[in-house]
Amino acid sequence: MGHWWYRNIVEPGKLPLLLALASFVLTFLVTRVITRLIRAGRGPFRNITPGGVHVHHVVPGVILMVLGGFIALAGGRRGFGAGVAAVLFGIGVGLVLDEFALILHLDDVYWTEEGTKSVEIVILTAALVALILAGFLPFGVNELGAEEATDRFTVVRTVAVNFLFALVALTKGKGRIAVVGVFVPFVALFGAIRLARPNSPWARRFYRKRPRARARARVRAYRHDRRWSALRRKVGHVIGGAPSR
């Protein structure tokens, strides 16, 4: 276990990233527990309202992200300072992304259906950072061998092809697949060759004179949403709390 830890985490310099991920996830979970207790009127926790102004936790989150970022830039990737910067940054990211929906809508939508976007973005961010820790790098360049890495044309070609797959998947309305596909190329390829969602830019451009393709896209989107949207919503409610009616 110790050999694996040194070879895969310490030696490649991934310890700060692991600390940031752990503090990010833990901060999000603790924050959600506290906000749910405040919502239920239980425990000693209350909203911070100095002078009648509700200070959302995105504010200290931004401050901690700034501190962690500057400490990381001033120091190196290793040592105690790098660990402190990673923890501060992770805590800040957890607080900020927990209120991602508030920033997106510029409104206090924390306990509404729109507020569940915060839970989705937190899950997606944690998954992507975990992929990096597992050895996946953007556009799959990490899959190149030592000889291929010396060939700049091969590197550029690999990045370009993977980026093209992710871009096509994004224009087809498959945002989650496109983001994950940046790290796992075959996922982006899967999204690129599948039918586009009916309201996506791809469908508006290429399915305009293809009624059968439009109809198939609508049916597939309906079946997909009916199968997965309820499950996604339920998981979001379990993690972040059910929205107010």
Side-chain angles (χ1 to χ4, degrees), residues 53 59 72 84 93 100 102 203 206 233:
V53 178
V59 176
V84 171
V93 172
F100 172 81
L102 181 147
F206 296 104
R233 191 178 300 111

Coordinates of all heavy atoms in Angstrom, one line a residue, residues 53 59 72 84 93 100 102 203 206 233:
V53 N -28.1 41.9 6.0 CA -27.7 41.3 4.7 C -27.3 39.9 4.9 O -26.4 39.5 5.7 CB -26.5 42.1 4.2 CG1 -26.0 41.6 2.9 CG2 -26.8 43.6 4.0
V59 N -19.4 33.7 -0.5 CA -18.5 34.8 -0.3 C -17.2 34.3 0.4 O -16.1 34.6 -0.1 CB -19.1 35.9 0.6 CG1 -18.2 37.0 0.9 CG2 -20.4 36.5 -0.2
A72 N -0.6 28.8 -3.7 CA -0.1 27.8 -4.6 C 0.9 28.4 -5.6 O 1.9 27.8 -5.9 CB -1.2 27.1 -5.3
V84 N -1.3 23.1 2.3 CA -2.2 24.1 2.8 C -3.0 24.8 1.7 O -4.2 25.0 1.8 CB -1.4 25.1 3.7 CG1 -2.3 26.3 4.1 CG2 -0.8 24.5 4.9
V93 N -13.6 25.9 -3.2 CA -14.4 25.4 -4.3 C -15.7 24.7 -3.8 O -16.8 24.9 -4.4 CB -13.5 24.4 -5.1 CG1 -14.4 23.7 -6.2 CG2 -12.4 25.1 -5.8
F100 N -23.5 27.3 -6.9 CA -23.3 27.5 -8.3 C -24.6 28.0 -8.9 O -24.6 28.9 -9.8 CB -22.9 26.2 -9.0 CG -22.8 26.3 -10.5 CD1 -21.8 26.9 -11.1 CD2 -23.9 25.8 -11.2 CE1 -21.7 26.9 -12.5 CE2 -23.9 25.8 -12.6 CZ -22.8 26.4 -13.3
L102 N -26.9 29.8 -7.6 CA -27.1 31.2 -7.3 C -26.3 32.1 -8.2 O -26.8 33.1 -8.6 CB -26.7 31.4 -5.8 CG -26.9 32.8 -5.2 CD1 -27.3 32.6 -3.7 CD2 -25.6 33.6 -5.3
A203 N -29.0 19.7 -34.3 CA -30.3 19.4 -34.8 C -30.9 20.5 -35.6 O -31.5 20.3 -36.7 CB -31.2 18.9 -33.7
F206 N -28.7 20.6 -39.0 CA -28.6 19.4 -39.9 C -29.9 18.6 -40.0 O -30.1 17.8 -40.9 CB -27.5 18.5 -39.5 CG -26.1 19.1 -39.6 CD1 -25.4 19.6 -38.5 CD2 -25.5 19.3 -40.8 CE1 -24.2 20.1 -38.6 CE2 -24.3 19.9 -41.0 CZ -23.6 20.3 -39.8
R233 N -32.7 13.4 -10.6 CA -33.4 14.3 -9.7 C -33.4 13.7 -8.3 O -33.2 14.4 -7.3 CB -34.8 14.6 -10.2 CG -35.4 15.8 -9.4 CD -36.8 16.1 -10.0 NE -36.7 16.5 -11.4 CZ -37.2 15.7 -12.4 NH1 -37.8 14.6 -12.2 NH2 -37.1 16.2 -13.7

